[in-house]
Amino acid sequence: KNEVEQSPQNLTAQEGEFITINCSYSVGISALHWLQQHPGGGIVSLFMLSSGKKKHGRLIATINIQEKHSSLHITASHPRDSAVYICAVYLRETSGSRLTFGEGTQLTVNP
Amino acid sequence: DTGVSQDPRHKITKRGQNVTFRCDPISEHNRLYWYRQTLGQGPEFLTYFQNEAQLEKSRLLSDRFSAERPKGSFSTLEIQRTEQGDSAMYLCASSLAGLDEQYFGPGTRLTVT
């Protein structure tokens, strides 16, 4: 079983819809990254958080440390949001030496 | 552009050949990471450096793989005697320190025929 699980694996939405992508992890973490990967491979860091909530434009990320769960929300989705969204964590047991990744959520936003 | 760069972006090689990839991190970043990503999967950790010291290597990194970061600046990842199973995207990332936000390069896509 992967230490980081994402759901859903695939998500199709209509432009303008509110989108939620979930990430659950099974062990203690120091921090969590939400990343965006476009076709061609480039990965962009969206957020890094260890508690509470962060907002950047139409993107909101929340984390509940006790429940070992994080969500990424996209408000007023747009076709340019179509990408793979990846949750990655710094496991406490590795003391921040590297990230452990979920398998990603493929988001497609149709016009 | 002051981001992380990788070279080459694409590499096609025949099985058995050696390949070398280069990563140039953000200049003030002390940490440099190598990850590998196969199609449809999330990236997997290969190795990381703190300045010029290689501090950890994954069990995924067989004896055919070697990485260096001379002088704590750019890094190279070499794969000897490539196998078809080595076909993947090789990603480099850097951060200021441990537990910091990581910044990723565009990746090198390796195809072994």
Side-chain angles (χ1 to χ4, degrees):
Chain A
K1 188 180 186 305
N2 197 357
E3 289 153 320
V4 182
E5 299 278 348
Q6 287 186 236
S7 63
Q9 283 188 307
N10 294 282
L11 181 56
T12 300
Q14 289 300 120
E15 185 172 356
E17 286 185 359
F18 181 84
I19 288 162
T20 296
I21 299 170
N22 296 298
C23 175
S24 298
Y25 47 91
S26 55
V27 294
I29 69 166
S30 301
L32 181 145
H33 255 296
W34 279 104
L35 306 162
Q36 181 191 56
Q37 186 170 34
H38 280 282
I43 291 178
V44 174
S45 175
L46 300 174
F47 296 102
M48 195 175 90
L49 63 168
S50 54
S51 65
K53 177 179 172 178
K54 287 191 175 180
K55 184 176 189 293
H56 184 250
R58 295 180 296 106
L59 302 178
I60 303 166
T62 64
I63 189 167
N64 185 318
I65 295 291
Q66 287 74 29
E67 294 186 4
K68 294 187 170 59
H69 182 268
S70 176
S71 293
L72 176 68
H73 305 286
I74 305 175
T75 62
S77 59
H78 191 276
R80 66 174 175 266
D81 297 326
S82 298
V84 175
Y85 292 83
I86 303 172
C87 170
V89 299
Y90 279 118
L91 298 176
R92 205 172 290 143
E93 67 190 34
T94 60
S95 303
S97 64
R98 43 27 197 248
L99 289 171
T100 299
F101 298 80
E103 294 193 350
T105 295
Q106 173 70 61
L107 171 65
T108 303
V109 181
N110 293 318
Chain B
D1 188 341
T2 56
V4 179
S5 61
Q6 291 186 246
D7 183 70
R9 296 289 305 275
H10 303 273
K11 178 72 177 176
I12 300 173
T13 190
K14 291 187 177 178
R15 191 175 52 194
Q17 297 294 305
N18 299 343
V19 294
T20 300
F21 309 142
R22 177 179 170 125
C23 170
D24 286 88
I26 294 172
S27 59
E28 64 267 26
H29 283 185
N30 297 315
R31 289 269 178 123
L32 185 148
Y33 307 83
W34 285 100
Y35 298 96
R36 181 171 68 186
Q37 185 179 28
T38 53
L39 206 59
Q41 303 294 315
E44 295 175 298
F45 170 76
L46 292 178
T47 188
Y48 89 98
F49 293 84
Q50 171 77 27
N51 300 314
E52 67 276 6
Q54 188 175 19
L55 296 186
E56 186 178 349
K57 294 197 295 186
S58 164
R59 287 188 298 273
L60 293 175
L61 218 63
S62 76
D63 292 344
R64 297 183 297 107
F65 288 71
S66 62
E68 293 183 336
R69 193 183 181 196
K71 302 177 186 175
S73 55
F74 72 92
S75 176
T76 58
L77 177 69
E78 181 183 15
I79 309 174
Q80 296 183 324
R81 305 181 303 282
T82 52
E83 302 172 356
Q84 285 188 316
D86 297 331
S87 295
M89 175 76 83
Y90 290 83
L91 294 161
C92 175
S94 70
S95 68
L96 200 54
L99 295 178
D100 276 346
E101 190 167 6
Q102 292 190 21
Y103 295 84
F104 286 79
T108 294
R109 184 169 294 285
L110 173 66
T111 302
V112 182
T113 62

